[in-house]
Amino acid sequence: MSNAGDETEVIVVGRDHAADGVVRLTLRRPDGGPLPAWEPGAHTDLLLADGLVRQYSLCGSPADRAVWRIAVLREPGGRGGSAYVHDRLVEGSRLRVRGPRNNFALRPADRYLFVAGGIGITPLLPMVAAAERAGARWRLLYGGRTRASMAFLDELAVHGDAVSVRPQDETGLLDLDAFLAEPDDRTLVYCCGPEPLLAAVEERCRAGWPPGALRIERFQPKEETAPAGTSSFAVVLARSGRTLTVPPDRSVLDVVRSAGVEVLYSCTEGTCGTCETDVLEGEPDHRDSVLTDEERAGGETMMICVSRSCGPRLILDL
């Protein structure tokens, strides 16, 4: 089994237009060997030129170890990753990838409700296939700006009425009240898409759904309502016994790396999960967009790129 930090060289063997503004890439190892195994919900890091590292959900079949498939939306206001993929990755391009990593794993359930907005369909596509294979009951509510902007409609068409395609210019906003009207402790809700959609689904699931029923994946950091701590605190590195001070204007990740400790990281925004670190003692001040409310309350891990400490000291498994 591949470690999530391992790197693999791949070559782009397929590139096509998946929807307006969305390019679909098929990746294969140059020697044709099997790629690392993955499960629905997983993403891979693309190690692009110029120091760019971006995460994209794997949206093909986990059973096909020969290739990986990703779909990337061009983000006009982005930080350069999607523009690089669209403008510079062509058939024959070689690059390195890292992972896969899964912060959005599909848990067993009798029934699933999937909610996708735009490119948020990518992690849900293999989940739908897995739910179908498992014989679970499921429905997918899929929204987008226009029908032409919505990828994978042809693949989803085979599922008939289980999939509700709702382009905003044809049907308006998604009817989440109706779709999420029946809370059930045997049902899990999985949602991925733009922040307004995620916030709306979270609001509805807080009102009546069992704790833990909702799982969300964010492409951008969630806006925190509570201010971050402004005090310095100590971080004890359990493996070496070193103690470092994290000042108010620096992250744990920054301080640890400056001390010469090698740690994996990627987004530095608390969305990818790459820098997740075990907490051995202390209470983290969670600022990430990855952990569930239950995982935050447990306090067993933290994303050291954005999270801080509620108290004067943390002991980390570093």
Side-chain angles (χ1 to χ4, degrees):
M1 177 70 95
S2 172
N3 184 284
D6 290 347
E7 294 183 11
T8 305
E9 184 180 20
V10 296
I11 185 170
V12 179
V13 296
R15 174 190 165 107
D16 65 345
H17 172 84
D20 286 351
V22 179
V23 66
R24 175 170 42 200
L25 300 180
T26 302
L27 310 174
R28 183 188 300 272
R29 280 180 46 173
D31 62 4
L35 287 161
W38 61 281
E39 298 293 336
H43 69 259
T44 181
D45 295 349
L46 266 58
L47 310 183
L48 307 172
D50 307 323
L52 290 174
V53 181
R54 294 294 183 268
Q55 297 77 39
Y56 297 108
S57 298
L58 296 171
C59 56
S61 169
D64 187 355
R65 297 283 300 278
V67 297
W68 282 355
R69 184 175 68 170
I70 61 173
V72 180
L73 171 69
R74 181 188 285 275
E75 297 277 6
R79 297 181 297 158
S82 68
Y84 185 101
V85 171
H86 276 254
D87 297 339
R88 297 174 63 178
L89 292 186
V90 297
E91 288 194 25
S93 294
R94 292 188 179 223
L95 68 153
R96 299 195 72 77
V97 297
R98 189 165 58 208
R101 178 176 287 99
N102 200 339
N103 305 309
F104 194 44
L106 184 68
R107 307 200 316 260
D110 294 333
R111 183 170 175 253
Y112 298 96
L113 294 177
F114 300 110
V115 184
I119 199 63
I121 189 62
T122 51
L124 300 184
L125 201 64
M127 291 187 180
V128 162
E132 184 74 12
R133 286 194 304 272
R137 296 169 55 207
W138 64 271
R139 292 167 58 206
L140 166 65
L141 181 62
Y142 181 15
R145 291 178 291 102
T146 65
R147 192 174 295 270
S149 73
M150 301 170 68
F152 304 113
L153 293 182
D154 52 344
E155 295 185 26
L156 292 168
V158 301
H159 298 297
D161 292 342
V163 177
S164 299
V165 176
R166 296 291 183 267
Q168 187 174 346
D169 64 339
E170 297 177 21
T171 61
L173 296 176
L174 297 179
D175 189 353
L176 297 175
D177 290 326
F179 193 70
L180 301 171
E182 301 178 18
D184 178 5
D185 59 10
R186 298 171 303 169
T187 299
L188 294 179
V189 181
Y190 281 79
C191 179
C192 186
E195 184 58 34
L197 172 64
L198 304 185
V201 171
E202 283 182 318
E203 179 183 358
R204 285 156 178 82
C205 285
R206 276 195 294 265
W209 279 83
L214 173 63
R215 295 302 304 267
I216 275 179
E217 182 164 69
R218 284 181 158 84
F219 295 140
Q220 296 178 333
K222 180 180 180 180
E223 183 176 345
E224 289 284 350
T225 54
T230 56
S231 300
S232 297
F233 58 93
V235 169
V236 179
L237 309 185
R239 298 182 200 175
S240 65
R242 298 173 66 185
T243 298
L244 307 175
T245 298
V246 181
D249 60 343
R250 298 180 69 190
S251 68
V252 176
L253 173 65
D254 184 29
V255 170
V256 166
R257 291 188 66 241
S258 295
V261 179
E262 291 295 325
V263 291
L264 283 176
Y265 70 98
S266 182
C267 72
T268 69
E269 294 182 327
T271 59
C272 74
T274 305
C275 69
E276 184 171 9
T277 301
D278 288 342
V279 178
L280 304 181
E281 188 177 309
E283 182 182 355
D285 175 16
H286 295 291
R287 319 300 299 179
D288 67 276
S289 303
V290 177
L291 297 176
T292 65
D293 290 342
E294 292 76 18
E295 289 167 336
R296 285 186 171 203
E300 296 181 357
T301 68
M302 66 183 289
M303 307 303 158
I304 61 173
C305 66
V306 291
S307 296
R308 301 186 64 81
S309 178
C310 292
R313 189 179 76 155
L314 288 173
I315 301 180
L316 302 181
D317 186 19
L318 291 174

